[in-house]
């Protein structure tokens, strides 16, 4: 079982630039202990005989091919545009 002192918790909070109020200290201590205990359980898991894996399968780039298509009915395409200019959607400037 992980044992973390209040001083250690405050030191970690200081490093992470987290302000912990006195009345929150016990909750933070309990949460940190739970996290460390779970990490200890995971570290002790038996991995003997398991192969090292990176992903669940060997598939690579399963996305569709990016193809340009001409859309003939521009009027229908632009009918829901809030604003349009020269047969294009007009949007607010996003880069200064």
């Amino acid at each position: 079982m992980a044992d973390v002192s209040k001083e250690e918790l405050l030191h970690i909070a200081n490093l992470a630039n987290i302000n912990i109020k006195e009345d929150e200290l016990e909750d933070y201590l309990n949460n940190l202990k739970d996290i460390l205990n779970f990490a200890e359980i995971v570290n002790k898991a038996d991995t003997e005989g398991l192969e090292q894996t990176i992903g669940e399968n060997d598939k690579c780039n399963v996305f569709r091919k990016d193809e340009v298509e001409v859309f003939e009915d521009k009027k229908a395409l632009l009918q829901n545009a809030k604003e349009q200019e020269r047969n294009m959607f007009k949007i607010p400037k996003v880069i200064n």
Side-chain angles (χ1 to χ4, degrees), residues 64-71:
R64 67 171 174 81
K65 186 176 180 183
D66 196 12
E67 297 176 351
V68 176
E69 294 183 24
V70 178
F71 192 82

Side-chain angles (χ1 to χ4, degrees), residues 79-95:
Q79 73 182 358
N80 292 323
K82 286 185 178 181
E83 292 185 60
Q84 50 182 295
E85 186 176 293
R86 298 183 328 197
N87 287 328
M88 293 182 279
F89 283 87
K90 185 176 180 182
I91 61 170
K93 186 177 179 180
V94 292
I95 299 175

Side-chain angles (χ1 to χ4, degrees), residues 8-67:
E8 289 172 317
L9 176 64
L10 291 172
H11 178 68
I12 293 168
N14 183 45
L15 292 173
N17 199 20
I18 298 173
N19 295 322
I20 299 178
K21 298 175 186 168
E22 188 65 36
D23 61 333
E24 300 173 325
L25 200 55
E26 203 61 40
D27 287 337
Y28 274 91
L29 266 175
N30 290 330
N31 289 334
L32 183 57
K33 287 178 184 179
D34 287 343
I35 292 167
L36 293 174
N37 287 331
F38 182 73
E40 191 173 320
I41 291 169
V42 171
N43 284 334
K44 289 181 180 177
D46 183 20
T47 58
E48 191 66 36
L50 296 178
E51 291 184 32
Q52 199 173 33
T53 59
I54 294 175
E56 63 185 71
N57 60 42
D58 295 331
K59 290 185 179 178
C60 180
N61 195 8
V62 294
F63 303 107
R64 67 171 174 81
K65 186 176 180 183
D66 196 12
E67 297 176 351

